[in-house]
Amino acid sequence: MKVGLRVDVDTFRGTRFGVPNICLLLKKYSVKASFFFSVGPDNMGRHLWRLFRPTFFWKMLRTKATNLYGWDILLKGTLWPGPLIGKRLEGIIRATADAGHEIGLHAWDHYAWQAHINDMDNEAIYDSLNKGVTSLTQILGYPPDCSAVPGWKSNDLVLKEKSKFPFRYNSDCRGESIFRPLVNGEELTQPQIPVTLPTYDEVIGRNGITNSNYNDYLLSLLDREKLNVLTIHAEVEGIAYIEMFEQFVKTCISRDVSLVPLGVLLREYHETKSSAIIKKEIPGREGWISCQVAP
Ligand SMILES: [Zn+2]
């Protein structure tokens, strides 16, 4: 069984510390993954404080947020403009590519995308994507050929603007099969590889899931008959919970489960159907996310 492994990198701290940790771990087990980088300003502190309302407060306590993200992330971009991640940490991004991992665009400004995507017009969306692609192209020496929006926040305008870039695929939603998105009845050509599994922060502390049974829970969700795509975060599995993630990788290998870049799944998926994408709320996550309409 193959499981697509997607590493989302949201912050300066995640890039600086989480990415090298994950690269080292994956090298040890000869695993390749898809890394989606945020390359513009790190204003994620603003994002976390903006969400500071009761449900989020409980989630912060539930996941021990300062442990999970670190105080520096909680404050990034709140007191002074956030640092440009790609500019400051280009060596880490290049080393990830050189190690043979698939590199895609996550965001120019992760915070701004999550906060303002509902109000962004096509030009603002193009501009944000273009800044990210330009920065990654300068870093890598070639353009990134895949992308994944921050926080699974996509819409029809985003899908249309993405089609102006040479992305082989995008991973912008949750769902259960690789598909071509339908926008106003028109089938777009860039396939979507949806994430099928929940993230750590969505399930931890709910329904009896703790750090000691989290990996077993995740493994129980894998389905040999279906598409399996997991997202980990450089900030979470790459720093505070790296040992737990290593245990997950080891268990996968012992059970003949191969962790692979998303592009490998695309190559092996032959009957790509079309689906619309809608906004939905899911347990454990604040606000709406984009979901594939069940095929
Ligand atoms: Zn993200």
Side-chain angles (χ1 to χ4, degrees):
M1 171 168 48
K2 288 194 173 69
V3 174
L5 178 60
R6 169 177 149 179
V7 184
D8 283 13
V9 191
D10 298 354
T11 63
F12 186 88
R13 185 173 191 258
T15 315
R16 172 74 184 81
F17 301 106
V19 171
N21 284 346
I22 292 172
C23 283
L24 215 62
L25 170 63
L26 296 182
K27 189 179 177 196
K28 186 169 160 190
Y29 297 98
S30 305
V31 170
K32 300 278 188 281
S34 302
F35 284 73
F36 292 96
F37 284 100
S38 304
V39 286
D42 180 354
N43 292 317
M44 282 302 277
R46 285 188 213 170
H47 169 66
L48 296 170
W49 290 110
R50 185 177 161 271
L51 291 174
F52 221 81
R53 41 184 178 236
T55 51
F56 188 71
F57 180 71
W58 285 114
K59 179 171 170 173
M60 300 276 273
L61 287 182
R62 192 157 55 70
T63 58
K64 298 193 183 68
T66 53
N67 187 357
L68 206 55
Y69 299 108
W71 279 109
D72 53 335
I73 288 184
L74 297 176
L75 295 173
K76 274 278 178 332
T78 52
L79 306 175
W80 52 87
L84 288 181
I85 304 169
K87 211 169 178 178
R88 297 266 299 274
L89 300 174
E90 58 181 353
I92 290 175
I93 297 173
R94 214 176 290 125
T96 309
D98 291 346
H101 300 293
E102 196 167 74
I103 308 295
L105 174 69
H106 193 34
W108 170 251
D109 184 336
H110 199 291
Y111 158 78
W113 187 281
Q114 278 183 293
H116 304 302
I117 187 60
N118 281 337
D119 307 318
M120 285 162 70
D121 61 12
N122 54 342
E123 275 176 35
I125 291 167
Y126 180 85
D127 186 54
S128 175
L129 293 169
N130 194 40
K131 277 181 178 158
V133 166
T134 304
S135 171
L136 265 181
T137 304
Q138 282 166 356
I139 293 166
L140 298 170
Y142 52 88
D145 64 357
C146 51
S147 76
V149 289
W152 294 276
K153 288 193 183 295
S154 182
N155 59 37
D156 288 354
L157 289 179
V158 171
L159 295 169
K160 288 214 149 188
E161 293 308 312
K162 280 201 173 189
S163 64
K164 297 174 182 168
F165 295 88
F167 297 138
R168 264 182 311 140
Y169 72 84
N170 303 305
S171 182
D172 299 323
C173 62
R174 302 297 176 91
E176 50 187 77
S177 60
I178 297 179
F179 68 98
R180 292 186 205 284
L182 284 171
V183 173
N184 299 327
E186 179 197 347
E187 190 187 90
L188 302 183
T189 54
Q190 287 173 349
Q192 283 285 332
I193 305 183
V195 170
T196 66
L197 297 159
T199 57
Y200 174 81
D201 60 310
E202 284 167 11
V203 298
I204 205 73
R206 300 175 57 244
N207 304 319
I209 312 289
T210 62
N211 280 351
S212 53
N213 60 17
Y214 175 72
N215 281 340
D216 291 335
Y217 174 70
L218 207 52
L219 290 157
S220 77
L221 298 177
L222 301 181
D223 188 336
R224 282 183 189 276
E225 306 296 314
K226 290 184 173 173
L227 177 74
N228 296 285
V229 179
L230 173 67
T231 301
I232 64 167
H233 281 87
E235 292 76 14
V236 179
E237 285 89 343
I239 302 177
Y241 302 125
I242 187 89
E243 282 166 24
M244 193 175 75
F245 179 60
E246 177 161 16
Q247 200 52 49
F248 176 80
V249 173
K250 274 158 81 171
T251 312
C252 282
I253 291 167
S254 73
R255 294 187 189 180
D256 207 22
V257 172
S258 314
L259 298 166
V260 297
L262 273 52
V264 169
L265 300 176
L266 185 66
R267 283 205 295 275
E268 293 181 355
Y269 214 81
H270 297 301
E271 34 149 7
T272 305
K273 296 192 173 131
S274 55
S275 299
I277 294 177
I278 51 163
K279 290 178 180 177
K280 240 166 114 172
E281 295 211 4
I282 60 162
R285 185 161 287 277
E286 184 77 17
W288 62 271
I289 60 168
S290 298
C291 291
Q292 174 187 15
V293 173

